[in-house]
Every structure is written in C-alpha cells, then in structure tokens.
Amino acid sequence: RANEAGASADPEPGVSPELLSAAAVAAKFSVSRSTVYAACRSGLLAHYRVPSKKGVRGKYLVKEADLLAWLET
C-alpha cells in the first residue's frame, strides 16, 4: 500500500518506522545497497547491526535522523 507521496505506508515487518533497512535506504534515495553498506562499514553512516536467525546474515538498520544528517554532510 502506498501513500500520496508514493512511499510504502507499511514499514518493513519487524522494523520500527524510524529505522530503515539498507534496502529501504537504497530504494528511497536511488543508490545501491552496496553504497549504503559501505557507508555503514566506514563509519560515515551511523547504524545498528541486528543479528538474524540461524546462519542468516543480520540487518543494518539506520535511524532516519542519522540518514538525514549523513545526507547533509
């Protein structure tokens, strides 16, 4: 479901609305997920690393406020 701005009205399942996954950040700003991951790993973009279940890689989650601060730099 999309709102008037075209963004998804429902957050990703299990993720707080203030936190965006790397995939959501990439889609929102038309960049690759690799760019988002690189910014997180290099320390340029503040993030949380959340472990996942049974041998699956965890998620990078980014606060929207941290994302906006990174974009302003």
Side-chain angles (χ1 to χ4, degrees), residues 1 7 11 13 17 19 25 27 36-38 40 43 48-50 52 59 67-69 71-72:
R1 197 168 81 207
L19 295 174
V25 171
V36 178
Y37 292 135
C40 290
Y48 297 94
R49 183 73 191 262
V50 181
S52 190
K59 287 187 175 189
L67 175 62
L68 295 174
L71 293 172
E72 290 177 0

Side-chain angles (χ1 to χ4, degrees), residues 2 6 11 13 18 23 29 31-32 38 41 44 47-48 52 55 57 60 68:
E18 308 89 40
F29 295 99
V31 298
S32 70
R41 282 192 304 268
L44 294 173
H47 66 284
Y48 297 94
S52 190
R57 293 182 190 167
Y60 284 81
L68 295 174

Side-chain angles (χ1 to χ4, degrees), residues 3-4 10 13-16 18 20 26 29-30 35-36 40 42 44-45 48-49 55-56 59-60 62 66 69 71:
N3 63 18
E4 291 175 15
D10 298 326
V15 176
S16 171
E18 308 89 40
L20 301 171
F29 295 99
S30 300
T35 299
V36 178
C40 290
S42 69
L44 294 173
L45 179 56
Y48 297 94
R49 183 73 191 262
V56 179
K59 287 187 175 189
Y60 284 81
V62 179
D66 291 334
L71 293 172

